[in-house]
Amino acid sequence: MNPFKVLVVDDERDFLESLVRRLQRRSVDATGVTSGEAALEHMRVHKVDVVVLDVKMPGMNGIEALRRIKHSYPEVEVILLTGHASVESGVEGLALEAFDYLIKPVKLDELIERIMEAYDRRKVVGELAGSPPPDAP
């Protein structure tokens, strides 16, 4: 199992459960929730290193969830994932310091590679800020 924890946020339950299962089979410690509100609640209790976040969700959309995650957990890296490509949401997400913006369907290998890159950046930023590495006990 990889040392980092991934939270997948998507309102499409079948997609969410399938993606979490596929990540777990590839030794990624992944958990899923179905809304931005649930993501923030999960993060209040559980350590998360990388969030894979759907952009279009009912209630709190992915851009607002990204804004709140970065406000409360600036060290956490967020990868936006959407089936509804929009240049505006991509630009807005990257301006809010999303690590990347990917379009569904994304190949699992590509997503895992981006997750690992996001985790590497999280470790480096944490070390530069003087905080313990995310995988420290």
Side-chain angles (χ1 to χ4, degrees):
M1 189 71 70
N2 286 304
F4 51 88
K5 296 186 181 302
V6 176
L7 178 64
V8 181
V9 185
D10 198 303
D11 63 311
E12 296 177 35
R13 189 172 295 276
D14 290 343
F15 174 82
L16 173 68
E17 291 173 357
S18 172
L19 180 56
V20 167
R21 243 188 339 267
R22 293 172 66 205
L23 288 169
Q24 290 172 342
R25 279 191 214 129
R26 300 284 292 272
S27 298
V28 174
D29 187 354
T31 303
V33 295
T34 58
S35 70
E37 293 89 347
L40 292 168
E41 184 61 33
H42 179 88
M43 294 175 75
R44 280 189 201 102
V45 178
H46 303 281
K47 174 183 172 286
V48 173
D49 297 304
V50 178
V51 176
V52 177
L53 181 63
D54 187 21
V55 173
K56 281 202 138 195
M57 296 185 289
M60 183 190 305
N61 68 28
I63 296 298
E64 181 58 26
L66 167 64
R67 183 176 287 115
R68 292 185 189 192
I69 289 169
K70 284 305 212 179
H71 176 76
S72 298
Y73 310 97
E75 73 283 3
V76 172
E77 295 296 342
V78 178
I79 298 171
L80 295 172
L81 186 62
T82 185
H84 310 279
S86 131
V87 172
E88 293 80 21
S89 63
V91 169
E92 187 176 7
L94 294 173
L96 291 169
E97 300 182 26
F99 180 77
D100 205 351
Y101 184 86
L102 301 174
I103 308 294
K104 293 179 187 173
V106 61
K107 292 183 178 174
L108 187 59
D109 287 339
E110 180 183 354
L111 179 59
I112 290 172
E113 184 178 319
R114 299 305 291 157
I115 289 170
M116 293 176 80
E117 290 170 359
Y119 176 69
D120 286 346
R121 183 164 95 175
R122 182 193 184 324
K123 282 178 53 176
V124 168
V125 169
E127 289 169 7
L128 291 174
S131 63
D135 50 357

